[in-house]
Amino acid sequence: MADMDGSNETKDFYLDIPARNTPFFLKGSGALDWGMQNRFARIFNAASGRTVMLAIDHGYFQGPTTGLERVDVNIIPLLPYADALMLTRGILRTTIPPTFARGTVLRASGGPSILKELSNEQIALDIEDALRLNAAAMAVQVFVGGEYESQSIHNLTRLVDLGARHGVPVLGVTAVGKNMTRDARYFRLACRICAELGAHFIKTYYVSEGFETITASCPVPVIMAGGKKLPESEALEMAYRAVSEGAAGVDMGRNIFQSEAPAAMIQAVRKVVHENAKPREAFELFQDLKNRRA
Ligand code: R5P
């Protein structure tokens, strides 16, 4: 017990100052419990309201993807620049140092490999293990219009229920099948379905026409997926447009770890996402850092 000797009886209750009541900074997340908001604060930067998430979960269906053959060699040096990591529990446990204190978004659906029908996923992570690993969120692929559409949506709703019970947000990832149209109309549909069914945030692809209608009609934060490798200048332009058109950040994989200078690229992406740098300025930073091998 604290020593009572010398305790000061003079108190100030600041009666002239109203109780502070700061709304949580993320769209659609104000009514979430403290634990969920705290987990979100490990993924999103409260100052910019955005995130630069590094996606390295590709191995869960396609094995050792180019650039991810050795996560210990290629990815660990990028960790200081990532606000959050999207990955599988296998890579997290085996390869990511527990000193990584930012958000981890755990891949929570899976099943088929690239050799099979990709939409035939099931839940591939127990909530208990997500908690044991101190995950900031769980990610589930949703195949709207795909062969196993209902099953993938059921995976989402089941994880949302488990996440709600334990305070873990769920990221709905809108997957596109080989023959599906990638346009604003499709992504509006897919994102809105995920949000209506409880996803706490959504990852979706950028489209050059109408992306702002996707973010506007989705009541929770939308993060831009990276997609196939583009020239660095184009990837930075895409990230710039996405955040200017309402995205709460990016979750990029190949456009970072397959870059000729991954550390330079992720820093340039940060400049766009957190500082609203124009693509040209960010590309100059990329070239400068690349030449200095930063
Ligand atoms: C999607 O299917 C996965 O989550 C990917 O493994 C990953 O997030 C894709 O990232 P990117 O398209 O930027 O390489």
Tab-separated table of all heavy atoms in Angstrom, residues 55-61 86 107 141 173 203 205 225-228 251-255 257, ligand 1:
chain	number	residue	atom	x	y	z
A	55	ALA	N	1.762	-6.866	-47.765
A	55	ALA	CA	1.136	-8.187	-47.934
A	55	ALA	C	2.188	-9.213	-48.342
A	55	ALA	O	2.835	-9.077	-49.381
A	55	ALA	CB	0.046	-8.114	-49.004
A	56	ILE	N	2.344	-10.230	-47.498
A	56	ILE	CA	3.306	-11.295	-47.821
A	56	ILE	C	2.672	-12.676	-47.621
A	56	ILE	O	3.359	-13.654	-47.352
A	56	ILE	CB	4.607	-11.171	-46.986
A	56	ILE	CG1	4.304	-11.209	-45.482
A	56	ILE	CG2	5.381	-9.913	-47.349
A	56	ILE	CD1	5.535	-11.476	-44.624
A	57	ASP	N	1.348	-12.731	-47.763
A	57	ASP	CA	0.648	-13.991	-47.488
A	57	ASP	C	0.477	-14.883	-48.714
A	57	ASP	O	-0.188	-15.925	-48.645
A	57	ASP	CB	-0.741	-13.691	-46.905
A	57	ASP	CG	-1.610	-12.896	-47.870
A	57	ASP	OD1	-1.068	-12.040	-48.587
A	57	ASP	OD2	-2.826	-13.134	-47.908
A	58	HIS	N	1.070	-14.509	-49.840
A	58	HIS	CA	0.834	-15.200	-51.114
A	58	HIS	C	1.089	-16.709	-51.049
A	58	HIS	O	0.465	-17.482	-51.761
A	58	HIS	CB	1.725	-14.592	-52.200
A	58	HIS	CG	1.610	-13.110	-52.332
A	58	HIS	ND1	1.806	-12.247	-51.276
A	58	HIS	CD2	1.321	-12.329	-53.402
A	58	HIS	CE1	1.638	-11.002	-51.700
A	58	HIS	NE2	1.342	-11.024	-52.974
A	59	GLY	N	2.028	-17.109	-50.193
A	59	GLY	CA	2.393	-18.526	-50.109
A	59	GLY	C	1.250	-19.428	-49.686
A	59	GLY	O	1.308	-20.634	-49.920
A	60	TYR	N	0.188	-18.871	-49.121
A	60	TYR	CA	-0.893	-19.731	-48.614
A	60	TYR	C	-1.628	-20.452	-49.728
A	60	TYR	O	-2.298	-21.443	-49.498
A	60	TYR	CB	-1.865	-18.933	-47.728
A	60	TYR	CG	-3.060	-18.328	-48.416
A	60	TYR	CD1	-4.284	-18.978	-48.438
A	60	TYR	CD2	-2.977	-17.091	-49.048
A	60	TYR	CE1	-5.400	-18.425	-49.061
A	60	TYR	CE2	-4.070	-16.529	-49.670
A	60	TYR	CZ	-5.272	-17.196	-49.684
A	60	TYR	OH	-6.365	-16.644	-50.305
A	61	PHE	N	-1.505	-19.956	-50.961
A	61	PHE	CA	-2.116	-20.702	-52.078
A	61	PHE	C	-1.162	-20.877	-53.251
A	61	PHE	O	-1.392	-21.710	-54.111
A	61	PHE	CB	-3.429	-20.045	-52.531
A	61	PHE	CG	-3.247	-18.733	-53.255
A	61	PHE	CD1	-3.441	-18.659	-54.627
A	61	PHE	CD2	-2.902	-17.579	-52.565
A	61	PHE	CE1	-3.278	-17.451	-55.300
A	61	PHE	CE2	-2.740	-16.374	-53.228
A	61	PHE	CZ	-2.928	-16.311	-54.597
A	86	MET	N	0.498	-8.277	-43.517
A	86	MET	CA	-0.559	-9.265	-43.781
A	86	MET	C	0.138	-10.563	-44.130
A	86	MET	O	0.897	-10.629	-45.114
A	86	MET	CB	-1.433	-8.792	-44.934
A	86	MET	CG	-2.534	-9.775	-45.276
A	86	MET	SD	-3.536	-9.095	-46.597
A	86	MET	CE	-4.723	-10.379	-46.813
A	107	ARG	N	-3.860	-14.144	-42.178
A	107	ARG	CA	-4.659	-14.851	-43.189
A	107	ARG	C	-5.477	-15.930	-42.479
A	107	ARG	O	-4.912	-16.803	-41.815
A	107	ARG	CB	-3.678	-15.440	-44.203
A	107	ARG	CG	-4.171	-16.524	-45.084
A	107	ARG	CD	-5.315	-16.146	-45.951
A	107	ARG	NE	-5.086	-14.961	-46.767
A	107	ARG	CZ	-6.035	-14.390	-47.521
A	107	ARG	NH1	-7.251	-14.871	-47.517
A	107	ARG	NH2	-5.761	-13.326	-48.245
A	141	GLN	N	-10.833	-14.126	-47.535
A	141	GLN	CA	-11.096	-13.860	-48.951
A	141	GLN	C	-12.589	-14.056	-49.233
A	141	GLN	O	-13.167	-15.046	-48.795
A	141	GLN	CB	-10.292	-14.881	-49.760
A	141	GLN	CG	-9.804	-14.374	-51.070
A	141	GLN	CD	-8.541	-13.548	-50.909
A	141	GLN	OE1	-8.053	-13.328	-49.815
A	141	GLN	NE2	-8.022	-13.084	-52.012
A	173	VAL	N	-11.460	-9.460	-47.945
A	173	VAL	CA	-10.619	-9.264	-49.135
A	173	VAL	C	-11.427	-9.668	-50.360
A	173	VAL	O	-11.827	-10.830	-50.484
A	173	VAL	CB	-9.331	-10.115	-49.046
A	173	VAL	CG1	-8.440	-9.855	-50.250
A	173	VAL	CG2	-8.592	-9.837	-47.740
A	203	LYS	N	-10.341	-4.888	-48.206
A	203	LYS	CA	-9.224	-4.710	-49.145
A	203	LYS	C	-9.767	-4.974	-50.539
A	203	LYS	O	-10.369	-6.022	-50.786
A	203	LYS	CB	-8.125	-5.708	-48.790
A	203	LYS	CG	-7.053	-5.882	-49.848
A	203	LYS	CD	-5.929	-6.749	-49.321
A	203	LYS	CE	-5.033	-7.228	-50.433
A	203	LYS	NZ	-3.810	-7.870	-49.946
A	205	TYR	N	-9.344	-3.929	-55.079
A	205	TYR	CA	-8.455	-3.445	-56.140
A	205	TYR	C	-8.808	-2.032	-56.576
A	205	TYR	O	-9.964	-1.612	-56.455
A	205	TYR	CB	-8.525	-4.385	-57.342
A	205	TYR	CG	-7.858	-5.710	-57.056
A	205	TYR	CD1	-8.601	-6.797	-56.625
A	205	TYR	CD2	-6.474	-5.841	-57.157
A	205	TYR	CE1	-7.982	-8.006	-56.333
A	205	TYR	CE2	-5.858	-7.040	-56.863
A	205	TYR	CZ	-6.612	-8.116	-56.449
A	205	TYR	OH	-5.996	-9.293	-56.138
A	225	ALA	N	-5.673	-2.885	-52.700
A	225	ALA	CA	-4.790	-4.031	-52.933
A	225	ALA	C	-3.791	-3.660	-54.031
A	225	ALA	O	-4.102	-2.869	-54.919
A	225	ALA	CB	-5.619	-5.232	-53.377
A	226	GLY	N	-2.616	-4.256	-53.955
A	226	GLY	CA	-1.573	-3.890	-54.914
A	226	GLY	C	-1.783	-4.485	-56.297
A	226	GLY	O	-1.775	-3.793	-57.304
A	227	GLY	N	-1.968	-5.815	-56.354
A	227	GLY	CA	-2.105	-6.474	-57.655
A	227	GLY	C	-0.762	-6.772	-58.291
A	227	GLY	O	0.284	-6.670	-57.648
A	228	LYS	N	-0.832	-7.125	-59.579
A	228	LYS	CA	0.383	-7.574	-60.266
A	228	LYS	C	1.442	-6.471	-60.320
A	228	LYS	O	1.122	-5.292	-60.234
A	228	LYS	CB	0.043	-8.058	-61.670
A	228	LYS	CG	-0.433	-6.965	-62.566
A	228	LYS	CD	-0.517	-7.464	-64.007
A	228	LYS	CE	-0.644	-6.282	-64.924
A	228	LYS	NZ	-1.853	-6.048	-65.581
A	251	ASP	N	-2.549	-2.016	-49.160
A	251	ASP	CA	-1.992	-3.294	-48.706
A	251	ASP	C	-1.300	-3.874	-49.926
A	251	ASP	O	-1.918	-4.544	-50.750
A	251	ASP	CB	-3.103	-4.221	-48.207
A	251	ASP	CG	-2.551	-5.527	-47.650
A	251	ASP	OD1	-1.334	-5.584	-47.369
A	251	ASP	OD2	-3.323	-6.480	-47.501
A	252	MET	N	-0.012	-3.589	-50.077
A	252	MET	CA	0.703	-3.948	-51.307
A	252	MET	C	1.713	-5.048	-51.039
A	252	MET	O	2.381	-5.047	-50.011
A	252	MET	CB	1.404	-2.711	-51.884
A	252	MET	CG	0.422	-1.651	-52.355
A	252	MET	SD	1.226	-0.089	-52.746
A	252	MET	CE	1.641	-0.322	-54.457
A	253	GLY	N	1.808	-5.946	-51.980
A	253	GLY	CA	2.768	-7.036	-51.885
A	253	GLY	C	3.787	-6.981	-52.996
A	253	GLY	O	4.845	-6.362	-52.868
A	254	ARG	N	3.420	-7.571	-54.158
A	254	ARG	CA	4.385	-7.692	-55.260
A	254	ARG	C	4.958	-6.357	-55.704
A	254	ARG	O	6.117	-6.288	-56.103
A	254	ARG	CB	3.723	-8.422	-56.441
A	254	ARG	CG	3.509	-9.887	-56.172
A	254	ARG	CD	2.524	-10.500	-57.132
A	254	ARG	NE	1.168	-10.018	-56.867
A	254	ARG	CZ	0.100	-10.309	-57.616
A	254	ARG	NH1	0.240	-11.069	-58.681
A	254	ARG	NH2	-1.090	-9.848	-57.307
A	255	ASN	N	4.163	-5.297	-55.674
A	255	ASN	CA	4.692	-4.009	-56.117
A	255	ASN	C	5.737	-3.451	-55.161
A	255	ASN	O	6.414	-2.482	-55.480
A	255	ASN	CB	3.555	-3.006	-56.334
A	255	ASN	CG	2.946	-3.184	-57.716
A	255	ASN	OD1	3.634	-2.955	-58.716
A	255	ASN	ND2	1.713	-3.653	-57.780
A	257	PHE	N	7.705	-6.013	-52.789
A	257	PHE	CA	8.824	-6.964	-52.631
A	257	PHE	C	9.392	-7.461	-53.963
A	257	PHE	O	10.467	-8.040	-53.973
A	257	PHE	CB	8.458	-8.110	-51.676
A	257	PHE	CG	7.305	-8.986	-52.079
A	257	PHE	CD1	7.416	-9.862	-53.134
A	257	PHE	CD2	6.110	-8.940	-51.368
A	257	PHE	CE1	6.352	-10.692	-53.496
A	257	PHE	CE2	5.040	-9.752	-51.723
A	257	PHE	CZ	5.159	-10.628	-52.799
B	1	R5P	C1	-4.817	-12.177	-52.157
B	1	R5P	O1	-5.303	-12.999	-52.761
B	1	R5P	C2	-3.817	-12.193	-51.149
B	1	R5P	O2	-4.158	-11.731	-49.956
B	1	R5P	C3	-2.511	-11.898	-51.672
B	1	R5P	O3	-1.653	-12.895	-51.326
B	1	R5P	C4	-1.903	-10.566	-51.450
B	1	R5P	O4	-2.504	-9.788	-50.510
B	1	R5P	C5	-1.805	-9.866	-52.733
B	1	R5P	O5	-0.968	-8.765	-52.665
B	1	R5P	P1	-0.440	-8.128	-54.008
B	1	R5P	O6	-1.506	-8.297	-55.049
B	1	R5P	O7	-0.219	-6.692	-53.691
B	1	R5P	O8	0.812	-8.813	-54.399
